[in-house]
Amino acid sequence: MGHHAPLLLLDVVRAGGLLVTSPAWTWRDLAALLSPDELVAAGDSLLRRRDAPNRGGYLSQPDPLCGMQELQEVLQRRAGNRGASTARTALELMRPGADSAQETRLRLLIRRSGLPEPAVNQWIIGPAGQRVSRPDLQYVRLRIALEYEGEHHLLDPDQWHRDIARDDGLRRLGWVVLRFSKKHLRPGNQAAAAEKVRAALLTRGWRPGQPA
């Protein structure tokens, strides 16, 4: 069933030859349908970095599809609509830079486990000033990198080779590299995945209650 909404010009964009609601407005609509974690993942997808991998499909807009300010503005205008509480909760947990929903889910799992929140997709610079790697998540001071390995990494031999070289380069610089797959994010495996991160943090000198 359709519904009427007081749209402004900035709330409408063209995609695939059709007029559709803007990314920010659509995200706010989804707040009435999705769980907080799902809405965070959807929001992180809007905030991807400018040089993120190509999305494909008919969406011609470059990343990021919108900014935090646009999302906050739409949320304020629609504060009385269904899903407002979910949207406010999700907005506080969203972070720019994630490449995939699974990276977001891993970050939320770490946070929910009482561990320090890692940084998202930041370049690691080598001793000669060269860019070495940009892990999905990382603890910069402790030199811990976390990589989520999607299935395409295993199916593409060239990508798999690059991943191995990437991790070898980080280890030569003294970094610990933790790798995760979709099985780590399943309910029965989440506690072990969080413990994997906790153990690495403790090994590097972190103590509960301290920043990482």
Side-chain angles (χ1 to χ4, degrees), residues 5 13-15 23 32 46 70 109 118 121 134 166 172 174 185 191 194:
V13 297
R14 188 174 294 276
L46 302 182
E70 295 169 72
L109 168 62
N121 267 310
R134 180 160 52 186
R166 171 203 68 197
R172 283 193 295 270
L185 301 182

Side-chain angles (χ1 to χ4, degrees), residues 24-88:
W25 187 279
T26 303
W27 176 83
R28 178 60 185 85
D29 280 340
L30 291 173
L33 304 172
L34 303 182
S35 70
D37 280 11
E38 291 170 333
L39 195 61
V40 173
D44 278 3
S45 178
L46 302 182
L47 302 173
R48 296 204 314 167
R49 52 192 170 85
R50 293 184 182 278
D51 57 346
N54 194 308
R55 292 174 182 268
Y58 295 105
L59 194 61
S60 59
Q61 290 179 273
D63 285 309
L65 295 181
C66 69
M68 289 292 289
Q69 185 174 349
E70 295 169 72
L71 294 165
Q72 290 167 347
E73 190 272 336
V74 168
L75 183 55
Q76 289 172 357
R77 280 197 283 135
R78 304 182 64 187
N81 295 89
R82 189 162 64 96
S85 177
T86 302
R88 286 193 297 269

